[in-house]
Amino acid sequence: MDLQQSRAEQPMPALNWRAMRESDLDGVVLVAQKSFPDHPEERACFANRLDLNPNGCFVLADDQDTVKGYLVSYPWMRNMAPALNVLIDAIPADADSYYLHDLAIDPDVRGGGHTRTVIEKLAEQVKADGWPRVSLVAVNNATGFWNRNGFEVQNPEGMAEKLASYGDDARYMERPLV
C-alpha cells in the first residue's frame, strides 16, 4: 500500500477554529516553520501579536487540542506592512485597516476547506467592528489563493521597497468590507 492510499483511508481528525491561547504558541511556531520556512518568525513575535490583539488570533485545533493551523491579525495602517519577525510596541492609534499578519495550515491537514471558514469569520468580525478593509502581504506565490478569498493586489506608492524583506513574489493585497 502506498502512502497516498494509506492517507486516503485514514479519516481526517475533527478540526475546529477557536481563540488562540498562550499555551498554543509552541504549536503555532511548529505550523509556521512548516508553512513558511523562508519567512521565519520567532515565538516572541506570535506572543507579541497575541498580547496586542487576542481577539484577532485563532488556532485550528484537533480533538486532542493539537494546533493544526492559525490566523494572526490586528488593526494596522493601510498601505503599510510590519517588518517580519519584529516586535511591535502597540497598535497604531490611527490604524485605518485590519491587517491579516499570517494564516497557515499544517500541510498534513490542508485541503479541508478550513481557511475559508476562518477568513470569512474574520471578515464578519472586523466588518462588525467598523473596519473598512482587511489587508495582507501574500507570499509563497499565494496571490491566486487570496484572490479567491476576495483580496485584490494593490500597488501603493513605495510599497515595493517595503515588501523587499518578504521575497520577490510578495504582493500587498486588500479586501474591502464595506
Side-chain angles (χ1 to χ4, degrees), residues 39 138-141 160 163-171:
H39 303 94
V139 297
N140 297 344
N141 294 309
L163 296 180
S165 68
Y166 287 83
D168 293 341
D169 69 326
R171 300 293 178 266

Side-chain angles (χ1 to χ4, degrees), residues 21-51:
R21 302 183 291 245
E22 187 175 345
S23 60
D24 296 319
L25 291 173
D26 290 336
V28 167
V29 170
L30 289 174
V31 173
Q33 290 171 340
K34 291 179 186 180
S35 300
F36 303 111
D38 296 332
H39 303 94
E41 291 193 287
E42 296 174 15
R43 185 182 194 278
C45 184
F46 294 108
N48 173 249
R49 300 325 193 254
L50 178 61
D51 286 344

Side-chain angles (χ1 to χ4, degrees), residues 9-110:
E9 293 173 5
Q10 296 175 354
M12 292 291 280
L15 300 172
N16 293 294
W17 288 101
R18 63 165 173 75
M20 185 185 292
R21 302 183 291 245
E22 187 175 345
S23 60
D24 296 319
L25 291 173
D26 290 336
V28 167
V29 170
L30 289 174
V31 173
Q33 290 171 340
K34 291 179 186 180
S35 300
F36 303 111
D38 296 332
H39 303 94
E41 291 193 287
E42 296 174 15
R43 185 182 194 278
C45 184
F46 294 108
N48 173 249
R49 300 325 193 254
L50 178 61
D51 286 344
L52 289 173
N53 192 47
N55 291 336
C57 298
F58 305 94
V59 295
L60 181 66
D62 65 15
D63 53 5
Q64 302 297 312
D65 219 24
T66 302
V67 174
K68 296 294 184 179
Y70 66 89
L71 182 144
V72 173
S73 63
Y74 43 87
W76 201 248
M77 300 300 300
R78 185 176 192 193
N79 300 329
M80 304 269 305
L84 287 173
N85 202 32
V86 172
L87 302 182
I88 54 179
D89 294 330
I91 301 297
D94 54 350
D96 59 356
S97 187
Y98 205 88
Y99 187 72
L100 198 163
H101 177 92
D102 217 351
L103 169 62
I105 304 292
D106 188 297
D108 293 339
V109 298
R110 287 183 186 156

Side-chain angles (χ1 to χ4, degrees), residues 135-156:
S135 59
L136 58 83
V137 173
V139 297
N140 297 344
N141 294 309
T143 304
F145 167 81
W146 290 110
N147 281 142
R148 290 188 299 278
N149 284 281
F151 289 81
E152 297 177 3
V153 172
Q154 306 293 309
N155 294 303

